[in-house]
Amino acid sequence: MVEKLEAIANQFCINATIKSISTLQSGHINDTYLVTTNTSDSFVLQKLNSYVFKDVIGLIDNKIKVAQLISKNIESKHLNILSTQFYKAKNGNFYVKGDDNEYWNLQNYIPNAITFDKVPNTEVVFEAGKLYGSFIALTNNATALEIKETLKDFHSVPFRLEQFKEALENASQARKEEAQKEIDFVLEHQLEMSKIDALKNANTFPIRITHNDTKLSNILFDKCNKGLAVIDLDTVMPEIVHFDFGDSVRSICSNAEEDNDDFESLEIQLDYYKAYCKGYAKSTKKLLSKTEIKYLPLGVKTIIYIMGLRFLTDFLNNDKYYKTKYATHNLVRAKNQFALVNSVIKNNSEITAITNNAFGLEDIS
Ligand code: GN1
Ligand code: MG
């Protein structure tokens, strides 16, 4: 295996001798490796999951364009943050195609950085908000048209409901019975959760360049817990801002990780939500319209519902999409997300008040 990885990595223009290759802990989709060399530079080698990403070349193209734009804007604004950089292969492309037709890309490894699976305190939450907010600001001068929608309808509730209903038709009796409560939850909330999609289709919000996987572990922090870089540009696409905002709240402001099975105690932490909004508003307050801000809380609820729906659909499909560690892993994730949706519903008025206050909704003319 290491020989194969080394052969792939050596096809990129890195100008160094590879010393070691090891697996890096990453998300639920791609395979990621750390490549160390005889120089002080290390790299991240990534095999893109072709079951999930059908337009891999479009995806790589999106990543390169956004990474270059962010780097340029960071430099011109003299910001103290970093961006990932991609390396060309000797074939002139930003990717290598393996014998098995799988695509690989290589990026710089940012040293001395830390990631969190769970936030330790409100300062880190604030920093995370600041960084994801700056992502929206830094990609603001890219026209949405240059970036492709590589995963069509990625955050569309009607599309996710269609996939869910198809899965339900084909699911085993045993899995359906096990998931009955969650199936009912999906159906009960489907109308309300489709609202943001309808607003988007009615052109209520501008389409921006968004990250679309704004979880906590996609942020690097420095040793002093200051936000350093947003990573994982696999899903950068044109989209409304609400899903980016909501997805980070989902992972950062929950009191537990997305597969924690203590469903009774799951809740959205309002002090974290306040800190997140404060950080996010720093560079987006002037950028976002009054209408965009008004619907941020609905974005939070909707994206958590979408994630629960996708985990549940994959459970009904016998776990084809997400990597799982045990038989009911996807079901546990779905239960966790729906418990969080309930907590957001319960705290709706506080969440709205905190949002309006942080983004100065009343002051915006
Ligand atoms: C997947 O693989 P990872 O962790 O980067 C998924 C996201 C989900 C996330 C849930 C392409 O991201 O949409 O939010 O899992 N990515 C894709 O943790 O489906
Ligand atoms: Mg991702």
Side-chain angles (χ1 to χ4, degrees), residues 75-128:
E75 215 182 296
S76 70
K77 294 185 171 148
H78 308 290
L79 300 178
N80 211 6
I81 54 176
L82 299 169
S83 168
T84 43
Q85 280 163 33
F86 293 88
Y87 287 82
K88 268 198 174 160
K90 291 170 188 159
N91 62 15
N93 298 320
F94 279 99
Y95 58 83
V96 160
K97 200 170 170 187
D99 298 336
D100 48 5
N101 282 332
E102 296 290 348
Y103 287 86
W104 297 78
N105 65 203
L106 189 92
Q107 59 195 288
N108 59 324
Y109 175 76
I110 299 176
N112 301 317
I114 41 176
T115 55
F116 296 103
D117 286 323
K118 202 166 172 294
V119 276
N121 54 49
T122 43
E123 285 74 35
V124 167
V125 178
F126 173 78
E127 283 295 316

Side-chain angles (χ1 to χ4, degrees), residues 289-346:
S289 74
K290 200 170 171 174
T291 317
E292 280 179 295
I293 295 168
K294 181 176 162 200
Y295 285 103
L296 288 176
L298 181 61
V300 173
K301 205 163 38 177
T302 309
I303 194 77
I304 306 173
Y305 173 83
I306 291 174
M307 290 306 161
L309 177 58
R310 291 175 58 197
F311 289 137
L312 178 62
T313 302
D314 202 34
F315 176 73
L316 294 171
N317 281 335
N318 296 323
D319 315 312
K320 289 202 194 78
Y321 189 97
Y322 294 110
K323 291 179 184 169
T324 51
K325 293 202 177 107
Y326 53 93
T328 54
H329 203 167
N330 270 321
L331 183 60
V332 165
R333 289 169 175 151
K335 288 184 186 205
N336 172 306
Q337 298 294 286
F338 294 152
L340 202 59
V341 172
N342 277 331
S343 171
V344 172
I345 292 173
K346 202 172 110 205

Side-chain angles (χ1 to χ4, degrees), residues 49-80:
N49 181 327
S50 55
Y51 175 78
V52 170
F53 299 112
K54 304 291 182 218
D55 179 10
V56 180
I57 297 189
L59 172 149
I60 293 171
D61 193 53
N62 278 358
K63 293 210 282 193
I64 308 296
K65 281 183 181 157
V66 171
Q68 286 174 347
L69 176 73
I70 293 181
S71 295
K72 205 176 89 202
N73 287 342
I74 287 177
E75 215 182 296
S76 70
K77 294 185 171 148
H78 308 290
L79 300 178
N80 211 6

Side-chain angles (χ1 to χ4, degrees), residues 142-144 200 203 205-210 237-241 292:
T143 61
K200 177 184 161 183
N203 298 323
F205 314 116
I207 301 296
R208 303 181 176 281
I209 298 304
T210 52
M237 282 185 280
E239 186 50 282
I240 57 174
V241 72
E292 280 179 295

